[in-house]
Amino acid sequence: MSLSINPTLKDLPTYQPGRPIEEVARELGLPAAEIIKLASNENPLGPSPAALAAMQHVLANINLYPDGNAFYLKHKLANKLDVQPANLILGNGSNEIIEFVGHALMQPGVDVVVSQYCFAIYPLTAKLFGANLITVPAKNYGHDLAAMLKAITPQTRVVFVANPNNPTGTAVSKQDLMEFANQIPARVLLVIDEAYIEFLDDPADFISEIRRGQKPNLLLMRTFSKIFGLAGLRLGYGIGNPELIAALEKVRQPFNINSIAQAGALAALDDAEHMRRTRDNNARGLLLYAETFQKLGLEFIPSAGNFVLVRVGDGQRVFDAMQKLGVIVRPMGGYQLPEWIRISVGTPEENERCLATLRQVLNT
């Protein structure tokens, strides 16, 4: 090809998401209705019924462009969080918020600090913008915050911490995380990914500090994909200092949040019962997984999210074998964890089927 492609893309890996049910059904010749997917940390209870009704209501006007500033959603979210709309930016999933950070702060000569076993999009974004990636070895499969502080250089501009962490499910203590945030140099943006924060019983409260204007170099990321059950809408949001948010807004594409997503999220914010049911189902699922793995003698990482990482020997083989039996999980070879698979919490019936399939595969 004679086109001059950006050389940065030459060695940039392609992100591999969890496999869709339809794709597996086509490939293996299985009925889609008989396949369960426990690979992408989705909400097994589905979206809020109120969100479904709200999304159906806007379909009649889908010929019109959405509100480019998502006025009502942003103001409702601001009211829920007790911040100002100027503290919020909306993205097409949290992934787009990460890309905003890349546009605003990453370039050749800049260092970006992440933890080993971090969410794959952090390194991909750093490499995409030509930044130098500093990966700090994990501590018990989680963040070594003290080592991450030591890894900060004069060239460091961004540090990523996910709490709870994906894919390992680990969480750092509330006190340790707040102390870590207080030691980050003012010239460095600390991005705390809180995609799974709603599953924590007592999370660190950084919003109060943002509300008081005490953390201008802090960006929190949250999402409607997990506990709200709206992963298909692709809607995330960032919470930060108004000056930081204004800078990120300059790189946001117009109409990045479609009308259906805005309507669904607006309704989902009010459905506290759906969130409660999701948390209860998740707690029961994690307990079942833990008890079963202990009986099977399998090493696993206690999880603070809605998924669990379990060591099964040859992760890719187990993934392939389970998939052929209609159960999709996530192999972890791409995260340098080839002996592990990650399993999302499903409904009680899905969890039981997954564990039965895992037992069958491990015994063959």
Side-chain angles (χ1 to χ4, degrees):
M1 187 170 64
S2 59
L3 295 175
S4 181
I5 301 296
N6 184 340
T8 304
L9 303 182
K10 181 180 179 182
D11 299 317
L12 191 70
T14 301
Y15 178 74
Q16 298 295 330
R19 302 196 68 196
I21 288 176
E22 294 78 8
E23 180 179 295
V24 173
R26 289 194 305 269
E27 179 181 300
L28 299 180
L30 299 173
E34 296 179 10
I35 298 174
I36 61 171
K37 181 186 177 189
L38 299 176
S40 299
N41 309 339
E42 295 148 337
N43 188 331
L45 304 186
S48 155
L52 284 175
M55 290 185 285
Q56 290 170 347
H57 183 71
V58 302
L59 292 179
N61 295 317
I62 211 68
N63 58 305
L64 303 177
Y65 281 103
D67 176 355
N69 292 312
F71 177 89
Y72 292 106
L73 175 56
K74 191 175 287 187
H75 277 72
K76 187 164 191 173
L77 194 53
N79 184 60
K80 285 280 185 182
L81 300 172
D82 193 20
V83 297
Q84 297 301 312
N87 291 115
L88 300 173
I89 186 167
L90 303 178
N92 189 247
S94 296
N95 283 19
E96 192 177 28
I97 307 293
I98 299 169
E99 188 177 338
F100 295 161
V101 172
H103 280 293
L105 291 164
M106 298 179 195
Q107 59 185 347
V110 161
D111 288 345
V112 175
V113 176
V114 301
S115 175
Q116 183 185 18
Y117 313 132
C118 69
F119 182 42
I121 300 300
Y122 311 152
L124 280 175
T125 302
K127 293 175 182 177
L128 178 63
F129 288 95
N132 177 50
L133 185 70
I134 297 176
T135 303
V136 178
K139 183 177 182 181
N140 298 323
Y141 298 100
H143 292 76
D144 186 339
L145 296 181
M148 292 182 74
L149 276 175
K150 292 179 181 178
I152 294 174
T153 70
Q155 290 75 42
T156 301
R157 293 295 176 268
V158 184
V159 175
F160 285 101
V161 172
N163 197 55
N165 185 53
N166 175 29
T168 60
T170 54
V172 298
S173 75
K174 175 179 177 179
Q175 180 179 349
D176 287 349
L177 187 57
M178 298 195 81
E179 289 178 358
F180 175 78
N182 289 333
Q183 295 179 71
I184 296 291
R187 58 180 168 75
V188 176
L189 177 66
L190 172 59
V191 181
I192 301 182
D193 190 338
E194 298 183 330
Y196 302 91
I197 191 171
E198 290 90 356
F199 294 104
L200 291 178
D201 293 328
D202 185 27
D205 177 19
F206 288 105
I207 292 182
S208 62
E209 299 195 34
I210 290 175
R211 190 182 300 128
R212 295 192 298 266
Q214 294 182 345
K215 283 284 187 292
N217 65 327
L218 174 64
L219 179 68
L220 306 177
M221 297 193 306
R222 295 188 180 182
T223 182
F224 283 86
S225 294
K226 305 305 177 184
I227 202 163
F228 289 104
L230 298 174
L233 294 183
R234 308 305 303 124
L235 180 57
Y237 58 100
I239 313 165
N241 178 274
E243 290 186 20
L244 170 64
I245 297 300
L248 300 182
E249 282 284 359
K250 292 184 177 181
V251 298
R252 181 179 66 84
Q253 293 293 319
F255 310 118
N256 66 324
I257 309 300
N258 67 66
S259 301
I260 300 174
Q262 291 183 41
L266 267 168
L269 284 171
D270 286 332
D271 197 341
E273 174 61 18
H274 184 261
M275 294 180 66
R276 184 197 64 77
R277 290 177 55 239
T278 299
R279 278 191 292 265
D280 289 348
N281 179 78
N282 192 67
R284 290 193 297 270
L286 287 178
L287 180 61
L288 175 65
Y289 282 156
E291 290 175 345
T292 304
F293 295 152
Q294 288 171 348
K295 291 177 182 176
L296 295 174
L298 297 176
E299 181 184 357
F300 68 99
I301 300 173
S303 177
N306 63 344
F307 56 90
V308 64
L309 207 62
V310 58
R311 196 170 198 164
V312 294
D314 185 339
Q316 187 64 43
R317 183 195 75 82
V318 171
F319 160 76
D320 289 335
M322 292 183 71
Q323 186 173 252
K324 290 176 181 177
L325 296 172
V327 178
I328 309 171
V329 294
R330 190 73 176 269
M332 288 285 104
Y335 282 89
Q336 292 77 54
L337 292 164
E339 296 182 346
W340 301 72
I341 58 173
R342 191 189 67 193
I343 305 175
S344 305
V345 174
T347 63
E349 296 77 18
E350 289 173 336
N351 297 335
E352 291 286 1
R353 180 180 168 189
C354 176
L355 291 169
T357 303
L358 177 61
R359 288 191 194 94
Q360 179 179 344
V361 168
L362 291 178
N363 289 330
T364 58

